[in-house]
Amino acid sequence: MHARVNVFGNPAASRFLKHLNAAGRVVTDSPLPAATQELVKIRASQINGCGACTDMHTKDAEHAGETSVRLNLIAAWREATVFTDAERAALELTEQGTRIADAAGGVSDEVWARAAQHFDEDQLVALIELIALINAYNRVNVLVRQPAGDYVPGQFG
């Protein structure tokens, strides 16, 4: 399988991705816990059917010490007992923030309130930015049918 467009070789795509990567560094350097960041990236990527991002972020999370049990249960986080209340709130916000078109009112006040119980304003802002960012990456990769499976942790950093 080959991508429809080589986003790494196309000058316009490379410039665009450079800006997305710079935005990503803002989130990476934020006070939002790194493990939570990876869970959010994986869950949004699963929802969006982005194999490339799912591949990348599960491997990066595993490389950073995340357990296979938690990685395998991200899609079933509601029924899983391996996530903290804060992680569950972040995953819930991620789902509603990713599925905006599916909900007439967008993110519900109840979901926002649960997230606000666990994260301060700077962390909430980082969470918002991260959800928006991973959804942008997902859309690029899904549109071009970026192949998945060959990512090596740290390859882009």
Side-chain angles (χ1 to χ4, degrees), residues 26-147:
V26 171
V27 176
T28 300
D29 294 341
S30 77
L32 186 64
T36 301
Q37 290 185 37
E38 289 302 328
L39 294 174
V40 165
K41 290 184 262 188
I42 293 165
R43 185 64 190 126
S45 299
Q46 290 171 333
I47 292 167
N48 289 322
C50 183
C53 289
T54 302
D55 180 41
M56 173 189 289
H57 297 298
T58 54
K59 287 176 179 175
D60 283 346
E62 183 178 43
H63 185 73
E66 189 60 80
T67 68
S68 61
V69 170
R70 283 169 45 94
L71 290 173
N72 291 332
L73 289 172
I74 292 171
W77 64 266
R78 282 179 181 78
E79 296 81 21
T81 59
V82 297
F83 300 106
T84 67
D85 288 343
E87 290 168 337
R88 296 168 69 75
L91 288 165
E92 186 175 34
L93 185 63
T94 299
E95 287 190 0
Q96 284 200 0
T98 297
R99 293 182 166 137
I100 290 174
D102 297 340
V107 173
S108 73
D109 290 338
E110 295 80 17
V111 167
W112 180 261
R114 278 191 286 277
Q117 288 175 350
H118 299 283
F119 300 102
D120 65 26
E121 186 171 286
D122 289 340
Q123 291 171 317
L124 284 169
V125 167
L127 194 51
I128 293 164
E129 294 166 347
L130 180 58
I131 293 166
L133 184 65
I134 192 59
N135 275 279
Y137 279 118
N138 290 164
R139 279 150 179 75
V140 169
N141 285 325
V142 169
L143 282 165
V144 303
R145 290 190 179 162
Q146 189 66 39

